[in-house]
Amino acid sequence: MPAKKAAKKAAKKSVHHPAHDLRRAYEHLGRVDILEGALAGSPFRDVSALAKLAQEELAASHFREAADLLRAAEHICFAALAPEDHAGTAAPVSSELKAAIAAELDHLTGRAEDNWSESESQDIAPHATIAAVYTTTIEQARLAFTAGGYRPALELARAAEALAHIARRGSARLAADGDPRQRLAS
């Protein structure tokens, strides 16, 4: 990318627009509301807990955190609702595609782990819910990939990356609290 174009892109990225985040939160919340009804068990508890945190962030006018929490919740929904390969009905995955998926999974989990490590090096204690969902999600992404669940693996890795991004920003508002997943029924 030419230097001038890269400088413009960096300058544009450095300007933060709260209205953009509010719109993002609204869109993610709409999709999560639709998808959440089809969930059960652990995905339902995780998505509900993240949505509850996002609602609190919206009420406090912290739109960026709300949008990112809801983005993570949406990825968890898609991972949980991805069809499984029953009796070989899914299209076969070529070795080239599997390699590309593995590379993207490594990229996403690497970014997630880097962001998470950065938050830990800054002595930032993320909200208990975010920490618990992050740990579960990144583990499930790797397990899904190993089992051949490539779509859920990528969605879970994207969710983990979003949660780690929130942790890296170190929001004091999302400091360690009780885990609302313990209070939600499945």
Side-chain angles (χ1 to χ4, degrees):
M1 181 179 307
K4 187 175 181 179
K5 188 173 183 179
K8 271 185 160 180
K9 187 174 182 179
K12 186 177 179 181
K13 242 184 167 178
S14 68
V15 176
H16 188 72
H17 300 286
H20 173 74
D21 292 325
L22 179 58
R23 182 199 44 81
R24 282 181 46 231
Y26 174 78
E27 290 176 358
H28 287 300
L29 183 58
R31 290 188 293 266
V32 167
D33 280 346
I34 292 166
L35 297 168
E36 189 177 26
L39 301 177
S42 178
F44 174 80
R45 287 188 301 275
D46 291 347
V47 167
S48 295
L50 293 176
K52 181 182 181 304
L53 282 177
Q55 295 271 356
E56 292 170 8
E57 291 300 292
L58 284 171
S61 298
H62 303 133
F63 307 133
R64 188 176 192 183
E65 285 75 13
D68 286 341
L69 286 163
L70 291 165
R71 180 170 65 98
E74 185 179 340
H75 286 302
I76 293 170
C77 288
F78 286 132
L81 297 173
E84 294 181 22
D85 181 16
H86 294 291
T89 56
V93 175
S94 68
S95 59
E96 294 86 8
L97 177 56
K98 186 176 178 181
I101 293 168
E104 180 65 5
L105 183 70
D106 288 343
H107 171 75
L108 290 168
T109 56
R111 281 180 41 176
E113 290 168 342
D114 289 347
N115 284 330
W116 199 264
S117 295
E118 189 176 323
S119 72
E120 289 176 339
S121 70
Q122 296 173 10
D123 289 329
I124 299 168
H127 192 285
T129 299
I130 293 172
V133 175
Y134 168 81
T135 301
T136 300
T137 303
I138 205 156
E139 289 171 3
Q140 289 177 344
R142 290 187 177 113
L143 289 173
F145 181 82
T146 303
Y150 304 126
R151 287 184 178 114
L154 290 174
E155 291 295 338
L156 291 166
R158 286 184 181 95
E161 193 271 335
L163 293 170
H165 190 72
I166 295 166
R168 183 184 56 80
R169 283 198 309 261
S171 174
R173 297 174 306 279
L174 292 173
D177 267 345
D179 187 351
R181 295 180 317 154
Q182 302 302 320
R183 298 186 298 266
L184 296 171
S186 60

